[in-house]
Amino acid sequence: MNPLEAVEIARRTMTLFFVVDTSSSMAGTKIGAVNTAIREVLPELSDLSAENADASIQLACLDFASECSWLITPSPVDGLCWTDLVAGGMTNMGAAFDELNSKLSRHEFLQSSTGCFAPVIFLMSDGYPTDEYRSALNHLKENKWFQYAIRVAVAIGEDADQNVLAEFTGNPELVLTAHTPEALKAMIRFVSVTSSKIGSQSSGIGVGQKGVQAKQAQMADQVQEFNADSADLNDLTDGF
């Protein structure tokens, strides 16, 4: 082989998990804003993945109401088509935590011949869990992939359980609150793009546990900057 010929280096994968509340209270404007925002951000994520020499970005989506299901199992964002989520039912968040925990494994959704970066897990909810969630969340916290993940949450409207979302992220600074459709769409775009950029980095921010903590801290800083720069989005009159 000619040593001057370019050799394509296999990239690791980085999966962005959307965990979306699709209970009855999300019907109408809320679920509409979620669907619009995710559909519109997919081309940007596709470009980000194509330009990244270190990582290929994948997307997965778990929606939960009375039951939970995988709308999308980990799939490359390039050419991915979004199927609209439909709201209806209870808010069985504990069941979603159990399901997520079962898939955060090298034997399940995080298996790759080239290796995986720690995932990004993005939780969106507008209410309180209607099932017993605490034991499921405690088990999820024991999962090493969950511990290493960049975890962000968006509380949609005033009725969202901020305490549960802060427990999930492990840091209340990583919980955003959307009071309007425009704020929600902006937050989904911001979290999706920014967390994917940070999560798919492989150099310059340390290695091992230090690298994990650096990425999580970097995301928290970015969230606080976003909040400071975008406060007017939640001042609109057409709120939830």
Side-chain angles (χ1 to χ4, degrees):
M1 183 180 70
N2 186 342
L4 298 180
E5 288 181 355
V7 177
E8 183 177 351
I9 300 174
R11 298 185 297 167
R12 285 190 281 175
T13 60
M14 197 290 296
T15 303
L16 167 62
F17 287 89
F18 289 124
V19 183
V20 185
D21 179 352
T22 55
S23 60
S24 296
S25 57
M26 286 286 292
T29 305
K30 293 175 182 177
I31 202 66
V34 171
N35 285 321
T36 297
I38 295 177
R39 187 181 301 108
E40 291 180 349
V41 81
L42 282 177
E44 196 166 353
L45 293 176
S46 180
D47 289 343
L48 181 63
S49 180
E51 295 165 1
N52 191 323
D54 298 319
S56 167
I57 297 173
Q58 295 188 333
L59 185 142
C61 180
L62 175 65
D63 64 285
F64 64 94
S66 296
E67 298 180 353
C68 59
S69 62
W70 291 99
L71 178 71
I72 301 173
T73 57
S75 304
V77 290
D78 183 33
L80 187 64
C81 293
W82 179 253
T83 300
D84 281 354
L85 294 164
V86 178
M90 307 295 283
T91 311
N92 287 340
M93 196 178 291
F97 291 161
D98 278 334
E99 178 62 22
L100 180 63
N101 187 33
S102 73
K103 299 302 183 185
L104 293 179
S105 164
R106 289 195 185 278
H107 302 294
E108 292 290 343
F109 283 179
L110 298 175
Q111 56 178 298
S112 170
S113 60
T114 58
C116 296
F117 284 100
V120 171
I121 308 175
F122 183 13
L123 173 63
M124 302 173 231
S125 178
D126 76 332
Y128 285 71
T130 51
D131 61 351
E132 200 295 299
Y133 77 91
R134 188 166 297 281
S135 62
L137 181 55
N138 287 339
H139 286 137
L140 182 58
K141 288 178 179 179
E142 295 173 358
N143 186 304
K144 291 295 185 182
W145 285 106
F146 183 78
Q147 293 172 14
Y148 292 164
I150 293 174
R151 304 184 301 274
V152 188
V154 169
I156 304 171
E158 291 291 342
D159 294 331
D161 191 331
Q162 297 271 352
N163 291 329
V164 172
L165 299 183
E167 283 185 67
F168 178 85
T169 63
N171 181 352
E173 292 186 347
L174 285 166
V175 179
L176 292 148
T177 303
H179 297 292
T180 69
E182 290 306 312
L184 178 56
K185 287 187 283 188
M187 289 173 185
I188 290 173
R189 179 196 170 275
F190 160 74
V191 171
S192 300
V193 173
T194 305
S195 63
S196 294
K197 287 180 179 178
I198 295 172
S200 59
Q201 293 174 357
S202 64
S203 61
I205 58 172
V207 296
Q209 185 63 26
K210 289 184 178 179
V212 168
Q213 293 171 344
K215 286 184 178 183
Q216 293 167 343
Q218 187 177 351
M219 188 63 202
D221 289 342
Q222 291 293 314
V223 168
Q224 295 310 302
E225 287 184 22
F226 175 87
N227 271 331
D229 294 340
S230 308
D232 58 326
L233 287 173
N234 276 318
D235 290 337
L236 304 179
T237 56
D238 56 340
F240 295 126

